[in-house]
């Protein structure tokens, strides 16, 4: 609802679980009562639902993150994808540009953070031999910067920076694991290509990747456990202790079942 109200109806197509998580985390850090009210689903007026009616500024901020990230993803598709995906991205770009321009005008700091990440990632991928740490750095630093904006308290900001860094690193690496075979086939950049081509058997490779992801998730959990959580702790803890490890298991060990 907030995306549609603030950035146009087309922006609602940009809604993602990542940004939903960001809203929940933001609300969790507020030592205030979070209220809900009953309403009707916009896309199915016959369906009743509960929705949060808390301060719209929070939803507007996260909505801007969602819109700006999505717009840069479209640009990335235009630059790196094959013909059909590139044509599709070019076709939809004008429809999302107005939402992006409005979000950028109101939250230029978010645009700068995301743009710096994109430019840094382009530079990293020019080196086909870039190691894992360097490859994951832009995404990790971007999320570190974005999460630090959720609080004005210095101590909480420091914790959020660490939490964002390792969550961002994990997101980048899990995507790289998920796309590894496809990237090798298409000769696209992937920090694990050398490991894949080294002749190691698939099970040993997945165990190695799992170890790297576990180390990253462990560091993210250390930071998470230091955060002052006032709301939705059971939801966030479920995501950290069950949701993310389960995704990791599916990507590395249950690929055939997932497909």
């Amino acid at each position: 609802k907030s995306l549609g109200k603030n950035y146009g109806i087309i922006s609602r197509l940009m809604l993602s679980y990542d940004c939903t998580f960001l809203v929940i985390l933001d609300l969790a850090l507020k030592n205030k009562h979070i209220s809900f009210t009953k309403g009707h689903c916009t896309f199915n007026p016959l369906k009743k639902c509960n929705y949060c009616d808390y301060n719209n500024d929070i939803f507007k901020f996260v909505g801007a993150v969602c819109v700006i990230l999505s717009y840069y993803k479209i640009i990335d598709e235009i630059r790196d994808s094959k013909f059909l995906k590139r044509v599709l991205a070019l076709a939809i770009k004008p429809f999302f540009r107005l939402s992006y321009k409005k979000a950028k005008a109101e939250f230029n700091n978010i645009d700068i953070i995301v743009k710096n990440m994109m430019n840094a990632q382009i530079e990293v991928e020019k080196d086909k031999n870039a190691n894992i740490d360097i490859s994951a750095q832009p995404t990790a630093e971007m999320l570190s910067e974005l999460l630090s904006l959720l609080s004005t308290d210095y101590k909480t900001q420091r914790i959020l920076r660490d939490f964002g860094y390792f969550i961002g690193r994990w997101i980048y690496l899990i995507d790289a694991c998920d796309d590894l075979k496809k990237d090798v086939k298409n000769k696209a950049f992937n920090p694990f290509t050398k490991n894949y081509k080294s002749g190691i058997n698939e099970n040993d490779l997945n165990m190695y990747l799992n170890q790297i992801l576990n180390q990253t998730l462990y560091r993210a959990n250390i930071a998470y456990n230091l955060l002052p959580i006032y709301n939705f702790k059971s939801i966030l803890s479920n995501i950290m202790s069950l949701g993310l490890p389960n995704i990791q298991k599916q990507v590395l060990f249950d690929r055939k079942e997932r497909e």
Side-chain angles (χ1 to χ4, degrees):
K1 286 180 179 292
S2 180
L3 275 169
K5 178 181 178 181
N6 294 310
Y7 302 110
I9 192 67
I10 194 73
S11 69
R12 295 181 68 141
L13 299 174
M14 304 179 189
L15 182 63
S16 67
Y17 283 115
D18 295 341
C19 288
T20 305
F21 175 82
L22 193 57
V23 168
I24 295 173
L25 178 62
D26 192 306
L27 293 174
L29 297 171
K30 302 292 188 290
N31 189 12
K32 296 179 180 179
H33 175 69
I34 308 300
S35 60
F36 288 79
T37 187
K38 290 186 177 182
H40 291 272
C41 173
T42 302
F43 288 101
N44 183 5
L46 298 178
K47 179 181 178 182
K48 292 183 178 180
C49 60
N50 296 323
Y51 64 91
C52 182
D53 60 355
Y54 193 69
N55 184 348
N56 185 56
D57 288 344
I58 293 171
F59 292 94
K60 196 170 186 180
F61 168 80
V62 178
V65 172
C66 186
V67 168
I68 291 170
L69 278 172
S70 298
Y71 186 75
Y72 277 104
K73 182 174 176 60
I74 292 171
I75 294 175
D76 189 52
E77 292 280 356
I78 294 172
R79 185 182 64 250
D80 291 339
S81 296
K82 290 187 176 181
F83 178 74
L84 288 177
K85 278 192 175 182
R86 186 181 299 120
V87 169
L88 178 61
L90 283 167
I92 66 174
K93 181 183 175 183
F95 296 98
F96 291 95
R97 183 163 178 78
L98 286 177
S99 299
Y100 162 72
K101 288 178 72 174
K102 185 176 181 181
K104 178 185 176 182
E106 295 184 85
F107 297 95
N108 189 53
N109 56 336
I110 297 175
D111 185 66
I112 291 171
I113 291 169
V114 177
K115 184 185 292 184
N116 288 342
M117 180 276 291
M118 294 292 295
N119 291 336
Q121 197 66 52
I122 290 170
E123 290 301 312
V124 165
E125 294 184 6
K126 287 179 180 178
D127 179 8
K128 295 295 183 182
N129 295 313
N131 65 35
I132 297 167
D133 293 329
I134 293 173
S135 300
Q137 188 82 2
T139 303
E141 289 186 346
M142 177 193 71
L143 209 56
S144 176
E145 290 294 319
L146 288 177
L147 261 61
S148 73
L149 299 176
L150 299 183
S151 176
T152 56
D153 177 73
Y154 176 72
K155 182 180 178 181
T156 303
Q157 275 188 335
R158 288 191 62 184
I159 299 170
L160 284 168
R161 283 183 182 277
D162 276 357
F163 181 59
Y165 183 91
F166 290 106
I167 285 293
R169 175 184 165 91
W170 186 88
I171 289 172
Y172 178 86
L173 294 178
I174 196 69
D175 283 344
C177 291
D178 200 24
D179 294 339
L180 181 54
K181 290 184 179 180
K182 181 182 70 175
D183 288 341
V184 171
K185 180 181 178 180
N186 296 331
K187 297 182 180 179
F189 177 85
N190 192 300
F192 299 121
T193 297
K194 287 192 297 183
N195 304 97
Y196 184 83
K197 291 183 174 180
S198 66
I200 186 173
N201 69 66
E202 185 173 356
N203 186 62
D204 287 344
L205 174 61
N206 287 338
M207 291 296 292
Y208 167 71
L209 299 177
N210 192 54
Q211 185 179 33
I212 293 173
L213 289 165
N214 281 342
Q215 290 170 346
T216 304
L217 206 52
Y218 173 74
R219 295 290 298 274
N221 271 290
I222 289 177
Y224 167 73
N225 288 325
L226 294 174
L227 287 171
I229 304 295
Y230 298 100
N231 300 293
F232 309 128
K233 188 174 180 64
S234 59
I235 296 175
L236 290 171
S237 296
N238 181 282
I239 292 170
M240 294 301 298
S241 63
L242 296 176
L244 299 186
N246 187 54
I247 290 173
Q248 192 172 306
K249 179 175 178 290
Q250 288 181 14
V251 168
L252 296 178
F253 303 109
D254 298 333
R255 180 180 295 272
K256 290 181 179 179
E257 180 181 329
R258 187 163 63 100
E259 290 172 351

